[in-house]
């Protein structure tokens, strides 16, 4: 338990929980957001099936208020809304995770990630996305893990833009990047398709929000 010293109130019973431990689904998510041109339902299901077949993921479940072992597992095609699951993080811990699909007339976004309220049990995320002065080196293994998932999905159905971090992808689009390029200063990471591969532009500045 030494690794969790920054969160001393965690007890053994709480650690056995994933979906129902305190604040498990709060704080926004550290995630990937994948932008596609508007997808048909069948294409969305292809992406979700590929996403949830990644070796680090175990899903899917529909309820966030019941532990996975107490509810039925469902296929990824069962919902375009929230799908929940268990992710094995780079440090070997299991955590709650989820995906959701957001579609408008311009794009389909596939989001996947783990809530900050769950990641705090495994990494020293502090108050992120607020700047609390703590080191942010925990982002590197999570970025690598999420990039691996994004590349895995890209092999099945390429996307136009991938964003990694604590993000609001509807404020950043592939069209923006095509017009203006990748921002020189960025809180989130960018995955940019180039031919048949993805180029990674990691975040290069601190937390996106300030307290006070």
């Amino acid at each position: 338990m030494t690794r969790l010293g920054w969160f001393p109130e965690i007890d053994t019973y709480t650690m056995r929980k994933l979906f129902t431990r305190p604040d498990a689904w709060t704080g926004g998510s550290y995630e990937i957001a994948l932008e596609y041109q508007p997808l048909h339902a069948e294409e969305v299901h292809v992406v979700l099936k590929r996403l949830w077949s990644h070796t680090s993921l175990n899903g899917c479940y529909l309820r966030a208020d019941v532990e996975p072992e107490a509810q039925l597992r469902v296929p990824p095609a069962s919902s375009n809304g929230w799908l929940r699951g268990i992710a094995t993080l780079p440090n070997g811990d299991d955590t709650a995770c989820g995906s959701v699909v957001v579609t408008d007339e311009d794009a389909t976004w596939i989001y996947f990630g783990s809530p900050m309220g769950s990641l705090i049990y495994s990494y020293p995320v502090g108050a992120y996305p607020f700047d609390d002065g703590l080191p942010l080196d925990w982002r590197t293994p999570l970025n690598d893990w999420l990039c691996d998932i994004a590349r895995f999905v890209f092999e099945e159905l390429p996307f136009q833009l991938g964003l990694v971090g604590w993000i609001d992808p509807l404020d950043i689009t592939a069209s923006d990047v095509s017009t203006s390029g990748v921002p020189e200063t960025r809180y989130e990471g960018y995955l940019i398709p180039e031919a048949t591969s993805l180029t990674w532009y990691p975040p290069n500045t601190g937390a996106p929000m300030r307290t006070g």
Side-chain angles (χ1 to χ4, degrees):
M1 298 289 286
T2 303
R3 187 162 46 82
L4 296 172
W6 63 86
F7 204 87
E9 60 266 39
I10 297 174
D11 56 29
T12 302
Y13 177 70
T14 297
M15 288 298 296
R16 289 199 299 267
K17 297 180 179 181
L18 290 178
F19 286 15
T20 62
R21 58 192 178 186
D23 300 322
W25 300 102
T26 63
S29 291
Y30 204 83
E31 62 190 348
I32 50 175
L34 310 179
E35 182 189 359
Y36 289 89
Q37 292 183 344
L39 299 178
H40 299 296
E42 296 80 5
E43 293 171 314
V44 170
H45 294 160
V46 167
V47 175
L48 291 176
K49 182 179 179 181
R50 178 70 170 183
L51 169 69
W52 283 101
S53 68
H54 190 271
T55 56
S56 69
L57 305 183
N58 180 0
C60 305
Y61 304 93
L62 296 179
R63 296 187 60 177
D65 60 341
V66 176
E67 289 298 319
E69 64 269 18
Q71 59 177 303
L72 292 176
R73 186 172 174 173
V74 299
S78 62
S79 174
N80 287 350
W82 277 104
L83 292 167
R84 317 284 181 169
I86 302 168
T88 300
L89 296 168
N91 66 1
D93 284 359
D94 287 339
T95 192
C97 65
S99 70
V100 70
V101 181
V102 176
T103 298
D104 59 30
E105 62 182 12
D106 298 318
T108 296
W109 287 91
I110 310 290
Y111 297 65
F112 169 81
S114 182
M116 303 305 298
S118 288
L119 287 175
I120 199 169
Y121 291 87
S122 298
Y123 288 94
V125 300
Y128 198 87
F130 293 95
D131 183 2
D132 56 9
L134 293 177
L136 298 177
D137 51 356
W138 55 266
R139 293 190 301 183
T140 299
L142 292 180
N143 288 341
D144 291 345
W145 169 60
L146 290 169
C147 283
D148 185 69
I149 294 174
R151 290 188 174 97
F152 181 71
V153 173
F154 186 82
E155 290 173 359
E156 182 75 16
L157 191 64
F159 45 81
Q160 296 177 292
L161 172 67
L163 300 171
V164 182
W166 194 95
I167 48 183
D168 183 1
L170 297 182
D171 288 340
I172 305 168
T173 68
S175 178
D176 296 331
V177 175
S178 177
T179 300
S180 303
V182 175
E184 290 187 10
T185 301
R186 49 192 180 271
Y187 299 107
E188 59 284 297
Y190 285 65
L191 282 166
I192 307 298
E194 296 181 0
T196 59
S197 63
L198 292 166
T199 299
W200 169 237
Y201 298 85
N204 58 12
T205 193
M209 297 185 181
R210 299 292 181 265
T211 57

